[in-house]
Amino acid sequence: HRHLIARVLLDKTDASIRTVVAKVGAVQGEFRTFDLEVIAGEPSTMVTVKEHGLTYRFDLREVYWCTRLGDERLQVAQTLQPGDAMCDLCAGVGPLALLCAHRGVPVLANDLNAAAEAFCRGNFEAAGRTSRERAVVSRLDAGILLPVLLALASGAAGSSDEARANTAAEGG
């Protein structure tokens, strides 16, 4: 019956919906993707998703995506203040990073999945110069990147503390 239900969905919904897919199996593998079966419509799994005023384009077969996390992404972005920076170690196609950059926060968007990194770069490009200039997109192992970032952050904090101590010792 799934093919009939999918056909009805296509016939009765917005014309922008051109494909209906069914998830086959669970999330799996290093990049947390899942197999899909196209059950009606065009045979493409390229999608365009609009969330919180921003647009993301990606191939659903190649990357992890969860629409239900949209509210959480907005909540995180809303906690950031001027002067903050944000690092998303597993950024996927960039929804959290792009939302933060769009709100004026400099971001590092990282994902080990080459397809996710490419779509993330494309989404920043499509978002325009201002968001693109606030972002660094990388494809590194988060387990290696995190200790480096923490060391840099503690080194920067240590440098600031050391500078303040030296200034105080010099009578400044």
Side-chain angles (χ1 to χ4, degrees), residues 69-171:
L69 294 176
D71 289 340
E72 284 83 356
R73 289 188 278 266
L74 182 60
Q75 287 175 340
V76 169
Q78 288 173 334
T79 65
L80 299 173
Q81 303 295 319
D84 286 346
M86 195 279 295
C87 174
D88 189 345
L89 294 173
C90 301
V93 300
L96 175 59
L98 185 54
L99 182 58
C100 293
H102 185 72
R103 296 172 63 86
V105 175
V107 300
L108 168 60
N110 179 73
D111 204 286
L112 187 58
N113 181 341
E117 178 211 12
F119 286 120
C120 185
R121 286 183 189 282
N123 290 329
F124 270 98
E125 285 294 322
R129 185 178 60 102
T130 304
S131 292
R132 187 176 59 245
E133 288 176 351
R134 291 187 182 116
V136 172
V137 178
S138 62
R139 185 169 53 95
L140 301 167
D141 184 319
I144 295 169
L145 180 58
L146 180 59
V148 171
L149 292 173
L150 292 174
L152 289 171
S154 64
S159 296
S160 298
D161 292 342
E162 186 177 298
R164 280 193 290 274
N166 288 340
T167 303
E170 294 169 1

Side-chain angles (χ1 to χ4, degrees), residues 1-14 17-23 37-42:
H1 291 79
R2 69 179 189 267
H3 294 283
L4 177 60
I5 293 168
R7 188 74 245 158
V8 170
L9 278 172
L10 283 178
D11 291 342
K12 300 291 182 187
T13 57
D14 187 320
I17 298 173
R18 297 184 306 269
T19 305
V20 178
V21 299
K23 188 166 47 167
E37 176 189 4
V38 175
I39 56 175
E42 297 176 10

Side-chain angles (χ1 to χ4, degrees), residues 16-18 45-60 63-71 73 93-96 98 119 123 126-127:
S16 67
I17 298 173
R18 297 184 306 269
T45 54
M46 281 297 293
V47 298
T48 301
V49 175
K50 293 185 181 181
E51 181 179 272
H52 306 303
L54 298 168
T55 302
Y56 307 96
R57 187 158 166 71
F58 53 91
D59 188 331
L60 197 52
V63 301
Y64 177 80
W65 175 264
C66 182
T67 300
R68 289 179 290 192
L69 294 176
D71 289 340
R73 289 188 278 266
V93 300
L96 175 59
L98 185 54
F119 286 120
N123 290 329

